[in-house]
Amino acid sequence: MAALEGLVEFQLKNAEDLSSLLEKEKHAITSRTAKDIETLAKEKIALITQLQQTDERIARHPDIETLKTDPHLADLTGKIQNLIAECQLANQVNGEALQRAQLSFNKLNNLMKQSQGKLGMTYNAEGQTKNVSTLGTNLKA
């Protein structure tokens, strides 16, 4: 049973680490620090993989029934489940914030392209606008 308790405590530590990492990720997203977001995403994937592997080891443990019968292990298991639920919610919120940030970037990028295009905007014979990137720069006189 000591081995099972060690696995459960390790799982709790990983869940706590994931919760802390998601908080850091939220701050990186709100401050739009792309390098930190990328680094934290890699760390998050590693932690999630570790959680899954430990979960599989716990599931295969011969004393798994003691997770329900031993009050200490049941308490730890409950804490892990609550933390993982909170992490899932935080991850969803972070994902939505990243999507909004990406949309904002795309809009800004489109506005920049439009403003650059207006420098070379002209009209054709039908009166329609036309972007010409070489307006006045390719004369062969």
Side-chain angles (χ1 to χ4, degrees):
M1 183 168 117
L4 180 61
E5 184 175 358
L7 284 172
V8 173
E9 288 173 350
F10 182 65
Q11 191 73 325
L12 179 61
K13 182 191 176 307
N14 284 330
E16 289 168 343
D17 290 348
L18 181 60
S19 178
S20 174
L21 187 135
L22 287 166
E23 188 64 29
K24 290 177 189 174
E25 183 183 56
K26 181 176 78 175
H27 291 295
I29 292 168
T30 57
S31 65
R32 296 185 183 201
T33 313
K35 183 180 176 189
D36 290 348
I37 293 169
E38 183 180 349
T39 301
L40 291 168
K42 290 176 183 176
E43 289 178 30
K44 181 171 60 172
I45 290 169
L47 267 174
I48 290 170
T49 301
Q50 183 68 47
L51 281 161
Q52 290 170 334
Q53 290 171 346
T54 305
D55 199 43
E56 290 169 6
R57 289 178 63 196
I58 291 170
R60 290 190 309 264
H61 198 280
D63 297 329
I64 192 166
E65 287 302 314
T66 58
L67 291 179
K68 297 175 186 170
T69 58
D70 182 290
H72 175 65
L73 290 178
D75 183 51
L76 289 177
T77 303
K79 286 180 182 177
I80 293 168
Q81 290 170 339
N82 288 337
L83 261 174
I84 294 299
E86 290 172 11
C87 287
Q88 288 172 332
L89 180 61
N91 192 54
Q92 182 180 349
V93 169
N94 288 354
E96 290 169 0
L98 270 175
Q99 286 177 338
R100 285 192 304 276
Q102 183 65 39
L103 285 173
S104 294
F105 171 78
N106 288 342
K107 287 179 182 178
L108 179 61
N109 192 28
N110 288 338
L111 286 172
M112 294 295 291
K113 285 180 181 178
Q114 286 174 359
S115 70
Q116 289 172 348
K118 287 182 180 175
L119 296 176
M121 187 184 301
T122 187
Y123 296 91
N124 61 19
E126 291 82 39
Q128 301 295 319
T129 58
K130 181 179 178 181
N131 286 335
V132 181
S133 60
T134 60
L135 186 62
T137 60
N138 64 350
L139 297 175
K140 307 250 192 294

